[in-house]
Amino acid sequence: MVIKMKKIKELYIQHKSFIMEVIHFGMVGVMNTLLGYVIIWVLYNLVHLDYWISSGISYFIGSVFSYHANGKLTFKVENKDKWLPWRFAANIIVCYAVSFGIARPLVRYLLASQSPALVDNVAVILGMGIFVFMNFFGQKLFVFRKRGNKSEETLG
C-alpha cells in the first residue's frame, strides 16, 4: 500500500501542472456553464428564440468571460500576442459548431418520438458536454499554448 501511495504521489508531482489546469478550467467552467445554461434556457424556452441563436448568444457571452478567466487563472498567460484573441475566437467557433452540430442530430435520432422542445433541451446539455471537452484541449494546445521549452507544451 505504501508503494502504491508513493507512485500516486510521484504521478501527481510529475503532472501537477496539468492537474491544476484541469481543476482551474473546471472551476471557471462550472460558473460559465451554469450561467450559459440559464441564458440558453431563458432565450429558448421563455423568449422562444431559435436553438442556434439561443446557444450562440449564450456561448458568446460565456466566451468573453472564459477568455479572461482561463487566460489568467487556468493557463497563466502573461505574454499576450496579437493573435491570441483570434486563436481563442477560432477555437470557440470550431468547438461550438462541432459540438452543437453533433449533439442536435444525434439527440433527434435517439429521441425521435419526443417533442422538439425536449429534443433541443437534451441536445443543449449534450452539446455543452462535448464543447467542454473540446474547448479545454483547444485552449491548452492551440490558444494558450506555451512557447519555448518543448517540455512545457506536453500535457504534463
Side-chain angles (χ1 to χ4, degrees):
M1 183 69 154
V2 174
I3 294 172
K4 287 182 182 180
M5 291 302 292
K6 189 174 183 178
K7 289 208 181 267
I8 291 171
K9 185 177 180 180
E10 288 173 9
L11 281 172
Y12 171 75
I13 291 168
Q14 183 180 1
H15 299 286
K16 184 178 180 181
S17 175
F18 178 71
I19 292 167
M20 294 311 295
E21 285 177 347
V22 170
I23 291 169
H24 289 144
F25 189 83
M27 290 171 20
V28 169
V30 165
M31 292 184 297
N32 205 6
T33 300
L34 291 174
L35 175 65
Y37 187 73
V38 168
I39 293 170
I40 290 172
W41 191 88
V42 166
L43 292 176
Y44 182 79
N45 293 297
L46 298 181
V47 180
H48 302 291
L49 292 179
D50 178 72
Y51 170 86
W52 287 105
I53 294 171
S54 300
S55 60
I57 290 170
S58 172
Y59 272 76
F60 176 79
I61 294 167
S63 294
V64 172
F65 169 74
S66 179
Y67 173 76
H68 294 288
N70 281 320
K72 290 184 187 313
L73 176 66
T74 305
F75 300 110
K76 297 178 178 32
V77 173
E78 295 173 22
N79 180 7
K80 293 187 179 181
D81 65 50
K82 66 181 179 180
W83 294 106
L84 187 64
W86 297 105
R87 286 196 309 267
F88 184 85
N91 178 66
I92 293 296
I93 290 167
V94 168
C95 291
Y96 171 77
V98 170
S99 61
F100 282 85
I102 289 171
R104 194 176 197 197
L106 178 61
V107 173
R108 277 185 173 167
Y109 173 77
L110 295 173
L111 301 178
S113 63
Q114 301 300 319
S115 73
L118 176 66
V119 168
D120 282 350
N121 279 289
V122 172
V124 163
I125 293 168
L126 177 61
M128 290 171 89
I130 296 168
F131 180 90
V132 167
F133 180 80
M134 289 179 62
N135 186 37
F136 173 79
F137 286 102
Q139 286 190 38
K140 175 159 183 63
L141 302 173
F142 177 64
V143 178
F144 298 114
R145 67 183 183 261
K146 297 202 177 15
R147 297 183 183 252
N149 187 345
K150 289 288 183 193
S151 65
E152 290 177 353
E153 294 177 11
T154 64
L155 294 177

